[in-house]
Amino acid sequence: MAEQTSPDRTDDNITLDAQDDRWEWRRKIRANPRKLLIYRIGIGVLGGILIIAAPLTGWLPGPGGIPLFIAGLAVLASEFEWAQRLLYRVKDWVKALTTWTGKQPAWLKVLGTVALFVCVLVAIWLYLAVLGVPGWLPDSWESFLHKLPLLE
């Protein structure tokens, strides 16, 4: 079994080095400069589209654009070292936040969960206030929603 080494994160190259690559199919692409250029352009475009889509979908209820941003960053990090360094910073930040929240008392966790739930409900209400109540909802839901302010 081949020894797996982690990518060298100390150099300041813009793109990953060939020795940083752990996948055989990508090493084959790197062997051909033309294929490599097309591949890098494709990775840049796909990662860029995902990152641009993140703020455009951020207003939607739920996690919004956060998963799209992280996915775009992960796609870019597969080929570009600057994105890889940024992705590792984001991962470290999330890990620190998770550790911090894990150390908080139970009442604060419950309060945070309730606050998040209220924020999601307000976001859904604002979404419905702007775009209107969809007609495909069950009649009982529609009649309830139409009783709320701004959804009449």
Side-chain angles (χ1 to χ4, degrees):
M1 181 178 253
E3 181 182 326
Q4 289 231 342
T5 59
S6 64
D8 178 16
R9 297 184 205 123
T10 59
D11 57 359
D12 291 324
N13 294 336
I14 292 175
T15 57
L16 291 177
D17 299 326
Q19 65 270 19
D20 290 342
D21 208 341
R22 64 178 190 252
W23 290 320
E24 178 68 28
W25 65 269
R26 217 163 48 184
R27 284 194 294 272
K28 288 179 183 178
I29 290 174
R30 288 183 194 286
N32 183 331
R34 185 176 173 148
K35 285 182 182 178
L36 181 60
L37 177 64
I38 293 169
Y39 175 73
R40 285 190 174 151
I41 289 171
I43 291 294
V45 168
L46 178 62
I49 287 171
L50 290 171
I51 287 177
I52 289 170
L56 298 177
T57 60
W59 56 273
L60 293 173
I66 295 170
L68 282 178
F69 177 80
I70 292 173
L73 194 54
V75 167
L76 291 172
S78 72
E79 192 60 31
F80 302 103
E81 287 195 13
W82 62 267
Q84 192 176 68
R85 287 190 299 272
L86 182 58
L87 182 63
Y88 286 123
R89 268 194 222 135
V90 169
K91 283 181 177 182
D92 291 343
W93 178 78
V94 168
K95 193 179 294 185
L97 183 64
T98 304
T99 302
W100 178 83
T101 55
K103 293 178 182 177
Q104 301 310 308
W107 67 268
L108 189 58
K109 290 179 190 177
V110 170
L111 183 64
T113 303
V114 169
L116 180 63
F117 183 70
V118 168
C119 287
V120 169
L121 287 178
V122 168
I124 292 170
W125 175 70
L126 288 172
Y127 175 83
L128 294 173
V130 171
L131 296 178
V133 177
W136 50 264
L137 287 174
D139 290 338
S140 59
W141 289 28
E142 276 190 63
S143 61
F144 169 74
L145 289 173
H146 282 297
K147 293 177 187 174
L148 296 175
L150 297 177
L151 301 181
E152 298 150 354

